[in-house]
Amino acid sequence: DAKTTQPTSMDCAEGRAANLPCNHSTISGNEYVYWYRQIHSQGPQYIIHGLKNNETNEMASLIITEDRKSSTLILPHATLRDTAVYYCIVRVSDPASKLTFGTGTRLQVTL
Amino acid sequence: GAVVSQHPSRVICKSGTSVKIECRSLDFQATTMFWYRQFPKQSLMLMATSNEGSKATYEQGVEKDKFLINHASLTLSTLTVTSAHPEDSSFYICSARWTSGRGGSYNEQFFGPGTRLTVL
């Protein structure tokens, strides 16, 4: 699976949009981009995933560049409860493939 | 999303004893479950992949005789840490990949809340 690069940490004011970038320049055509987050001392939580089109759900939006070499996770109105480590992972859509976690981005939402 | 539970959430044991951790998919069937380990301030590391009815596949460096995995049904997988030692103290997290039982896609993988193991 392709490697991803994320900033180590980011801050965001409560109520503002949090934009978390991810680089995946070696992504191949059959690999999806997944985002998970892990709140302290909990298991990871699935957020969203996409292949090439932008995606939106009740939690977030995922913007994937046209060349698919990078993406941005957008939390439109961050709250204190969004403070967590956010992981960007690329993986082929195959039941046997694995989710491999990198170091992620530690997002701190502040008042 | 689908719910994955783990039991116990926290366990403290003496060195040399064995500890069993259960992972259940509550509202869906999971032919594949995964076990991860996470040390403080580190990311999740995949230990093994468990398929229902077959032997688990372990990642490089993970001792299969120490970390026994059983996936006897589509909703239950267990991890047994045998002869636990203080260096096995960690946060163990299971994950289940959705395959059937609810509308959705097998692309989604759901995680349990984790089990914190402390070996004295």
Side-chain angles (χ1 to χ4, degrees):
Chain A
D1 295 328
K3 180 179 171 59
T4 63
T5 305
Q6 299 177 251
T8 303
S9 63
M10 294 182 65
D11 291 334
C12 177
E14 190 177 33
R16 305 296 294 269
N19 298 288
L20 292 92
C22 179
N23 286 323
H24 31 79
S25 59
T26 61
I27 192 170
S28 55
N30 63 346
E31 287 183 311
Y32 285 71
V33 180
Y34 287 79
W35 283 85
Y36 283 79
R37 73 180 182 184
Q38 186 179 25
I39 296 170
H40 183 62
S41 294
Q42 297 183 23
Q45 177 188 21
Y46 166 82
I47 301 173
I48 200 167
H49 75 278
L51 182 63
K52 52 185 178 180
N53 297 323
N54 297 337
E55 302 287 344
T56 296
N57 62 21
E58 64 277 6
M59 289 184 68
S61 294
L62 173 60
I63 308 298
I64 303 174
T65 58
E66 193 169 340
D67 63 9
R68 302 210 322 126
K69 292 185 177 182
S70 65
S71 60
T72 301
L73 178 74
I74 301 173
L75 307 179
H77 304 287
T79 70
L80 296 177
R81 284 179 290 186
D82 292 321
T83 293
V85 178
Y86 287 76
Y87 296 98
C88 168
I89 303 168
V90 295
R91 177 175 76 87
V92 295
S93 179
D94 183 300
S97 66
K98 309 169 191 176
L99 275 177
T100 303
F101 287 79
T103 53
T105 295
R106 182 170 299 278
L107 175 68
Q108 179 70 52
V109 181
T110 57
L111 290 172
Chain B
V3 179
V4 176
S5 70
Q6 279 184 244
H7 179 79
S9 59
R10 186 182 297 269
V11 57
I12 301 172
C13 70
K14 292 182 178 179
S15 184
T17 61
S18 294
V19 175
K20 179 184 284 188
I21 302 170
E22 291 187 349
C23 175
R24 294 181 184 273
S25 56
L26 296 186
D27 53 358
F28 66 102
Q29 294 177 324
T31 55
T32 304
M33 288 185 171
F34 305 85
W35 286 94
Y36 292 80
R37 180 169 56 180
Q38 186 174 34
F39 292 107
K41 299 189 184 302
Q42 294 186 23
S43 188
L44 285 80
M45 296 298 296
L46 180 65
M47 299 175 67
T49 301
S50 166
N51 291 295
E52 185 263 338
S54 62
K55 290 183 178 180
T57 302
Y58 291 81
E59 295 298 303
Q60 191 173 8
V62 177
E63 300 174 58
K64 63 180 181 181
D65 294 330
K66 181 169 183 63
F67 299 99
L68 302 179
I69 292 172
N70 183 278
H71 191 165
S73 76
L74 286 172
T75 60
L76 174 64
S77 176
T78 60
L79 167 69
T80 301
V81 183
T82 62
S83 187
H85 290 284
E87 58 265 29
D88 298 322
S89 298
S90 188
F91 192 50
Y92 292 86
I93 306 168
C94 76
S95 179
R97 187 162 290 172
W98 182 91
T99 54
S100 66
R102 281 174 60 123
S105 162
Y106 65 73
N107 288 317
E108 294 183 30
Q109 187 170 322
F110 302 96
F111 288 80
T115 296
R116 187 160 303 281
L117 170 64
T118 302
V119 185
L120 302 176

